[in-house]
Amino acid sequence: MKVYLFLILLFCSGLCLSQKKKIIRKADFPTEFRMISDDILSKGKAYEQLRELTKKIGPRFSGSSNLTKAEDWAVQKLKESGATQVWKQAVPVKVWNRGKESLEIKIGNNSWKKINMTALGGSEGTAGQDLVGEILLVKNIEEFNKLNFADIKDKIIFFNVPFDQKIVNPVETYLEVGKYRWAIPANVSRRGAKAIITRSLTSAFDDVPHTGSMSYDTDDNNKIPALAIGAKSADELEEALKNKQKIIAKLNTTSTFGETKTNFNIIGEIPGNKDNNIIVVAAHLDSWDISEGAHDNGAGVVHCLEVLRAFKNLDIQNNHTIRVVLFTNEENGVTGGEVYAQQVKKKEEKHLFAIESDAGGFSPRGISLDMIPERRRQVFEWKSYFLPYGVYDFDQTYSGQDIQPLKKLDIPLAELVPDTQRYFDIHHTSEDTFDKVNRRELLLGAVTMAQIVYIIDKNW
Amino acid sequence: MKVYLFLILLFCSGLCLSQKKKIIRKADFPTEFRMISDDILSKGKAYEQLRELTKKIGPRFSGSSNLTKAEDWAVQKLKESGATQVWKQAVPVKVWNRGKESLEIKIGNNSWKKINMTALGGSEGTAGQDLVGEILLVKNIEEFNKLNFADIKDKIIFFNVPFDQKIVNPVETYLEVGKYRWAIPANVSRRGAKAIITRSLTSAFDDVPHTGSMSYDTDDNNKIPALAIGAKSADELEEALKNKQKIIAKLNTTSTFGETKTNFNIIGEIPGNKDNNIIVVAAHLDSWDISEGAHDNGAGVVHCLEVLRAFKNLDIQNNHTIRVVLFTNEENGVTGGEVYAQQVKKKEEKHLFAIESDAGGFSPRGISLDMIPERRRQVFEWKSYFLPYGVYDFDQTYSGQDIQPLKKLDIPLAELVPDTQRYFDIHHTSEDTFDKVNRRELLLGAVTMAQIVYIIDKNW
């Protein structure tokens, strides 16, 4: 009697299990998308994981002890999320230490006034000495290029180039105005100026300074400090300069370059049931030194963990290997992305697709597709499945910074496109904190990531 | 010579002006939508106006001196925004004063513990006396309806019905679970309970209590107090009750009903160039007493002002009258909406369309259309014009609370649909503050409002 009962129970539980798997296996994408969404919205751990990463660990700058802590945390979380294999991939990172930094200005005969500032990442410092010079406002790079050596010599060049508020998607104006951070300082440095002050890359009009990477030409023997000030300070400074007032700036920073250290890409995967071809789900674990990195890119990290967790929890029988790669050193070097791509090439691993989440934890609105037209068209055919989740925009053509090195291996790339309006208010600042992230928006981003990975796993 | 120069200048300025108007007048909607967007995103005043309304005035509850201040402010802002005629429409509002309120609970033999709470708007008070009773957890209204009189008598009924996290659009779960605030208390009151405690209507799991309107049956002679507690407190309370612990609650409130007072719908318009048919752009000026009402509905108010300002600034020659109506008493009576509709009927004013913004100042995602299929189809044809602004969802079929009374006059109605994920975290709480509003998201909502008004003005 007992044996019969046991057999009946076994049969029933087998039925339930096989039914669950069956639903997942047949190509009823609306139903399967709904199951993924239900699971993540009701059982998702992304928000609590993000709280840990930002509040227990905090800033995770390349070469810092915090980033090492975050690496250990990520190994643990990947295992908890269901990765059956987790490993660390060594990556050399150039170390830059901010040290102390201050900026003061003196307008005419007024007394010195402190200005909120942040050195750009990778900037030369002043070795703790005061660097003093007159500020020269230059409207844009075209105007700068017309100046003579005598105009520039010993001046502190100040570019106050704001975001174009009229552009609906702030990413577009960031990519345009961004050159004043990542490219133009090298140009200014070669031409005899003493330092460069830039307006922070922001949609806001507050006084929060934004850092970000910059670099010099390798043959530049007279590298000068480069820093950013908040939009409000920038506008006030421009106003004072327009009133023909002579303004002197005093900059003092103790930033230094250190020895190259080793950080790690943290990788975890669920092997494929059909083959070992790989689908990469990516984000970067590092952040700027001055920031908790909640949106940039803690949100991306927990999106990736959530994809694995949902696949495991729903017992999705993935055809291909689903591999999460949490890259290191995205903010100031992208050596994590480069090392990963080199290893893919060396090991001749076949990658079917790679998607990164590196634009914040806001409500998802689309998926940017950086791939050949034939692949784009295939994704376009699935648009209607995403619409109930507020995801409608498949027209963008960029992809994540860390997975970009995979492009030369002809791998179809993508990036999650969340709502972008709030992102550049906090990007690369001390304001990019956990409280700026909304739980449901964060989870919905993970839903989109899991859904696109799911449908590609079933079709490619 | 001087006369010639003058004539030439006059001719040129005439050319420029007529060119500007010509661009506006021909039906090149993509270009005209862009002009509206450019104007609002670069010159919009909505954000600074919202700062004034929330920070200088603050809560604007029906019958309060603050709402009177807000009425004066709105008259002034409508004039500044370009309304050529501004007037106040008297509306009777029932007055409810919250007074002081507190809730304590006692679990088993433990000491009394204070719980964050808010009375629901319109609730009876305890006249400053302690109301003490045992808490009875009831899972839902179906379970409640099965209880006997003896089960209920002298109990404090506690419904802990959470939002369904799996529903992507929180508006849908709000409309479903919302009955535990706006309908069920009346039912419980008639059946002999002492008081009702509800779980706040929220997507969040924090401890912020949310108020909102409730009402009793008119023939209920034993009206009982109704209040809400935060989600966290609700879950803790349920947990304790599930452990079979007897829990006593002590409620003390001094809320009172006052005399009916007069508030005003504040109305301002730009007359039509072709006729006096009216397009209404609406929001409500009142808020809850415990809230700055930044998203609900300060955002809507400044959206409306922005539409007028942009029309005026762009010198749009509107065919029909563009009328902003800032309704009063939406939160606890909707008498503003009723009076307005009565006057429309009485004066036989022809209304072509009415749109309300009352779902917050988040990024716009759509326009909800509450109108006959023929009109819906016409709007559908314009979808592609809205897409570059992130507005893609035209599938919803509800409209704003204040303009609802216009429905029986067969007027096509609509409501702006912003992103909804953050809204119910702060709705009707002390947390609905100016700092929760993003400047660009707010302005983009105004862009959508102005664009739909513009295209309807040109086509209907």
Side-chain angles (χ1 to χ4, degrees):
Chain A
M1 177 67 185
K2 272 189 184 166
V3 174
Y4 282 123
L5 190 65
F6 175 73
L7 284 177
I8 289 169
L9 282 171
L10 192 70
F11 178 73
C12 286
S13 74
L15 253 187
C16 295
L17 261 179
S18 72
Q19 208 169 12
K20 191 175 175 189
K21 285 181 187 171
K22 216 163 134 195
I23 291 171
I24 292 285
R25 274 174 180 166
K26 72 174 180 174
D28 174 12
F29 291 116
T31 303
E32 293 151 19
F33 270 36
R34 176 62 55 201
M35 288 173 70
I36 288 170
S37 174
D38 283 358
D39 185 77
I40 292 177
L41 289 178
S42 62
K43 297 176 192 152
K45 296 188 171 172
Y47 191 62
E48 287 310 316
Q49 286 171 344
L50 184 61
R51 191 196 300 273
E52 284 180 28
L53 184 61
T54 55
K55 293 300 175 194
K56 287 196 184 165
I57 297 176
R60 307 170 292 283
F61 197 42
S62 289
S64 68
S65 60
N66 263 11
L67 183 52
T68 303
K69 275 185 214 164
E71 288 162 358
D72 294 343
W73 177 90
V75 166
Q76 182 61 28
K77 292 298 154 184
L78 279 167
K79 287 178 184 166
E80 287 172 20
S81 303
T84 50
Q85 207 190 338
V86 179
W87 70 101
K88 293 162 77 176
Q89 184 173 58
V91 176
V93 300
K94 283 188 190 159
V95 171
W96 179 79
N97 300 302
R98 179 177 300 279
K100 288 182 183 171
E101 54 190 19
S102 68
L103 174 68
E104 290 174 89
I105 62 165
K106 187 174 166 65
I107 303 178
N109 293 321
N110 296 338
S111 53
W112 288 101
K113 184 188 163 194
K114 209 174 164 180
I115 305 280
N116 286 337
M117 60 82 73
T118 173
L120 297 183
S123 168
E124 284 291 327
T126 72
Q129 305 297 308
D130 285 347
L131 179 157
V132 181
E134 185 181 348
I135 296 179
L136 178 65
L137 172 70
V138 187
K139 293 302 288 177
N140 50 53
I141 187 63
E142 293 74 21
E143 192 179 305
F144 178 78
N145 287 337
K146 287 179 195 152
L147 295 176
N148 299 321
F149 180 76
D151 299 327
I152 298 166
K153 188 172 160 36
D154 290 339
K155 291 289 194 312
I156 295 178
I157 304 297
F158 168 44
F159 287 107
N160 184 24
V161 185
F163 270 25
D164 183 348
Q165 294 289 333
K166 296 196 288 292
I167 295 174
V168 172
N169 182 355
V171 172
E172 291 172 29
T173 184
Y174 174 74
L175 293 175
E176 174 61 24
V177 178
K179 65 186 176 199
Y180 287 90
R181 186 194 84 207
W182 57 68
I184 287 169
N187 184 340
V188 174
S189 180
R190 295 179 68 98
R191 295 202 40 216
K194 261 190 164 172
I196 177 167
I197 299 177
T198 64
R199 180 195 182 97
S200 287
L201 298 177
T202 176
S203 308
F205 294 100
D206 58 23
D207 204 33
V208 178
H210 296 229
T211 192
S213 65
M214 58 85 63
S215 58
Y216 303 94
D217 294 339
T218 43
D219 61 347
D220 182 351
N221 296 318
N222 185 35
K223 301 181 177 98
I224 65 171
L227 62 98
I229 60 177
K232 189 164 166 283
S233 284
D235 286 337
E236 285 169 4
L237 191 53
E238 171 160 343
E239 195 59 32
L241 286 161
K242 275 183 177 165
N243 290 334
K244 304 288 179 201
Q245 291 184 275
K246 182 171 173 173
I247 303 183
I248 307 293
K250 180 163 67 186
L251 173 67
N252 193 317
T253 77
T254 62
S255 67
T256 52
F257 293 88
E259 294 295 299
T260 294
K261 287 191 180 174
T262 300
N263 279 122
F264 296 90
N265 293 332
I266 309 298
I267 305 173
E269 66 184 30
I270 306 175
N273 285 283
K274 207 182 89 183
D275 59 40
N276 292 324
N277 294 340
I278 294 160
I279 292 173
V280 164
V281 190
H284 64 86
L285 192 58
D286 67 309
S287 76
W288 279 102
D289 55 340
I290 60 170
S291 175
E292 275 182 20
H295 281 287
D296 185 14
N297 187 217
V301 168
V302 298
H303 279 161
C304 295
L305 294 173
E306 197 66 46
V307 172
L308 275 198
R309 191 205 56 75
F311 267 61
K312 207 74 186 179
N313 192 48
L314 290 169
D315 194 21
I316 291 173
Q317 301 298 305
N318 43 300
N319 291 329
H320 315 295
T321 296
I322 311 295
R323 174 185 291 178
V324 167
V325 185
L326 303 176
F327 287 96
T328 199
N329 189 231
E330 190 271 350
E331 295 296 9
N332 58 332
V334 201
T335 49
E338 283 159 14
V339 166
Y340 182 78
Q342 285 158 12
Q343 291 296 312
V344 168
K345 197 177 173 186
K346 191 176 159 192
K347 294 181 190 163
E348 295 182 351
E349 287 179 333
K350 184 167 167 55
H351 280 52
L352 297 175
F353 175 64
I355 184 168
E356 182 156 4
S357 165
D358 186 20
F362 302 101
S363 285
R365 308 195 76 159
I367 299 169
S368 176
L369 304 172
D370 185 5
M371 53 188 68
I372 58 172
E374 190 196 331
R375 287 297 191 196
R376 289 179 71 79
R377 279 196 301 276
Q378 290 171 345
V379 178
F380 283 178
E381 284 172 15
W382 306 325
K383 272 186 181 185
S384 65
Y385 301 135
F386 289 92
L387 207 52
Y389 307 90
V391 172
Y392 66 94
D393 182 2
F394 293 79
D395 291 341
Q396 311 294 324
T397 57
Y398 56 82
S399 61
Q401 188 90 333
D402 298 293
I403 58 177
Q404 279 283 312
L406 295 172
K407 199 167 177 178
K408 52 183 177 288
L409 305 178
D410 295 329
I411 298 166
L413 305 179
E415 182 162 358
L416 180 69
V417 180
D419 197 296
T420 51
Q421 299 304 325
R422 292 177 184 235
Y423 189 59
F424 291 101
D425 290 4
I426 53 161
H427 182 242
H428 294 182
T429 75
S430 57
E431 297 292 309
D432 181 8
T433 48
F434 179 68
D435 59 300
K436 306 297 192 311
V437 178
N438 176 270
R439 187 179 53 80
R440 286 183 55 85
E441 291 182 358
L442 181 72
L443 291 172
L444 281 167
V447 169
T448 305
M449 294 281 284
Q451 287 171 338
I452 186 73
V453 168
Y454 178 82
I455 201 164
I456 282 179
D457 179 67
K458 295 299 167 206
N459 283 280
W460 287 7
Chain B
M1 180 64 186
K2 274 187 179 165
V3 173
Y4 282 123
L5 190 66
F6 175 71
L7 285 175
I8 289 167
L9 282 172
L10 192 72
F11 177 74
C12 286
S13 74
L15 254 186
C16 295
L17 262 178
S18 70
Q19 207 170 12
K20 191 176 176 189
K21 286 181 186 169
K22 217 164 131 195
I23 292 170
I24 293 288
R25 274 173 182 167
K26 71 171 184 177
D28 174 13
F29 291 117
T31 303
E32 293 151 20
F33 270 36
R34 177 60 56 200
M35 288 173 69
I36 289 169
S37 175
D38 284 357
D39 186 76
I40 292 177
L41 289 179
S42 61
K43 297 177 192 152
K45 296 188 173 173
Y47 191 63
E48 286 310 315
Q49 286 171 343
L50 184 62
R51 191 197 300 272
E52 283 180 31
L53 184 61
T54 53
K55 293 301 173 191
K56 287 195 183 165
I57 299 175
R60 306 170 293 283
F61 197 41
S62 289
S64 68
S65 60
N66 263 12
L67 183 51
T68 304
K69 273 185 218 167
E71 289 163 356
D72 294 343
W73 176 90
V75 166
Q76 182 61 29
K77 293 298 155 187
L78 279 167
K79 287 178 184 167
E80 288 172 19
S81 302
T84 51
Q85 207 190 340
V86 179
W87 70 99
K88 294 163 73 175
Q89 183 174 58
V91 176
V93 299
K94 284 188 187 158
V95 172
W96 179 78
N97 299 302
R98 178 177 301 277
K100 287 182 183 172
E101 53 189 19
S102 69
L103 174 68
E104 289 174 272
I105 63 165
K106 189 175 163 63
I107 303 177
N109 293 321
N110 296 339
S111 53
W112 288 101
K113 183 187 163 193
K114 210 174 161 179
I115 305 281
N116 285 337
M117 61 81 75
T118 171
L120 297 183
S123 168
E124 285 290 327
T126 72
Q129 305 296 309
D130 285 346
L131 180 157
V132 180
E134 186 182 348
I135 296 179
L136 178 66
L137 172 68
V138 188
K139 292 302 289 175
N140 51 51
I141 187 63
E142 293 74 22
E143 190 179 307
F144 178 78
N145 288 337
K146 287 178 196 151
L147 295 176
N148 299 321
F149 180 76
D151 299 327
I152 298 166
K153 189 170 157 39
D154 291 337
K155 291 289 195 310
I156 294 177
I157 304 296
F158 168 44
F159 286 108
N160 184 23
V161 186
F163 271 24
D164 182 347
Q165 294 290 334
K166 295 196 287 294
I167 296 176
V168 172
N169 182 357
V171 172
E172 290 171 30
T173 184
Y174 174 74
L175 292 175
E176 173 62 24
V177 179
K179 64 187 177 199
Y180 287 90
R181 186 194 84 206
W182 57 67
I184 287 168
N187 185 340
V188 174
S189 181
R190 295 178 69 99
R191 296 201 40 213
K194 262 192 165 171
I196 176 166
I197 298 176
T198 64
R199 180 196 182 96
S200 287
L201 299 176
T202 177
S203 309
F205 294 100
D206 58 23
D207 203 33
V208 178
H210 295 230
T211 191
S213 65
M214 58 85 62
S215 59
Y216 303 94
D217 293 340
T218 45
D219 62 347
D220 182 351
N221 296 318
N222 186 35
K223 301 182 176 93
I224 65 170
L227 61 98
I229 60 177
K232 189 165 166 282
S233 284
D235 286 336
E236 286 168 5
L237 190 54
E238 172 161 343
E239 195 57 32
L241 287 160
K242 275 183 176 164
N243 291 335
K244 305 285 178 204
Q245 292 185 274
K246 182 172 173 172
I247 302 182
I248 307 294
K250 179 163 70 184
L251 173 67
N252 193 316
T253 77
T254 63
S255 67
T256 53
F257 293 89
E259 294 295 300
T260 292
K261 286 190 181 175
T262 300
N263 277 123
F264 297 89
N265 293 331
I266 309 298
I267 306 174
E269 65 185 32
I270 306 175
N273 285 282
K274 207 182 90 182
D275 61 38
N276 293 324
N277 295 340
I278 294 159
I279 291 173
V280 164
V281 190
H284 64 85
L285 192 58
D286 67 307
S287 77
W288 279 101
D289 56 339
I290 60 171
S291 173
E292 274 181 21
H295 281 287
D296 186 14
N297 186 221
V301 168
V302 298
H303 279 161
C304 294
L305 294 173
E306 197 66 46
V307 172
L308 273 198
R309 190 205 57 75
F311 267 61
K312 206 73 187 181
N313 192 49
L314 290 168
D315 195 21
I316 292 172
Q317 301 298 304
N318 44 300
N319 291 329
H320 314 296
T321 296
I322 310 296
R323 175 185 289 178
V324 167
V325 186
L326 303 176
F327 287 96
T328 198
N329 189 231
E330 191 270 350
E331 295 295 8
N332 59 332
V334 201
T335 50
E338 284 159 12
V339 166
Y340 182 79
Q342 286 157 12
Q343 290 296 312
V344 168
K345 196 176 176 188
K346 191 175 158 193
K347 294 181 190 166
E348 296 181 350
E349 287 178 333
K350 183 165 167 57
H351 280 50
L352 298 174
F353 175 64
I355 183 166
E356 183 156 2
S357 164
D358 186 20
F362 302 100
S363 285
R365 308 195 78 157
I367 299 170
S368 176
L369 305 171
D370 185 6
M371 53 187 68
I372 57 172
E374 190 196 332
R375 286 297 192 198
R376 287 179 72 80
R377 279 196 299 277
Q378 289 172 347
V379 178
F380 283 177
E381 285 173 13
W382 306 325
K383 272 185 181 185
S384 65
Y385 300 135
F386 289 92
L387 206 53
Y389 306 91
V391 172
Y392 67 93
D393 180 3
F394 292 79
D395 291 339
Q396 312 292 325
T397 57
Y398 56 83
S399 59
Q401 188 92 333
D402 298 293
I403 58 176
Q404 278 282 312
L406 295 172
K407 199 165 178 177
K408 51 184 179 285
L409 307 178
D410 295 330
I411 298 166
L413 305 179
E415 183 163 358
L416 180 70
V417 180
D419 198 296
T420 52
Q421 299 305 325
R422 292 176 184 236
Y423 190 59
F424 291 102
D425 289 3
I426 54 160
H427 183 240
H428 294 181
T429 74
S430 58
E431 297 292 310
D432 180 8
T433 48
F434 179 68
D435 59 299
K436 307 297 192 310
V437 179
N438 176 271
R439 187 178 53 80
R440 286 183 55 84
E441 291 182 359
L442 182 70
L443 291 172
L444 282 167
V447 168
T448 305
M449 294 283 282
Q451 288 170 337
I452 185 72
V453 167
Y454 178 83
I455 201 164
I456 282 180
D457 179 67
K458 296 299 168 206
N459 284 280
W460 288 8

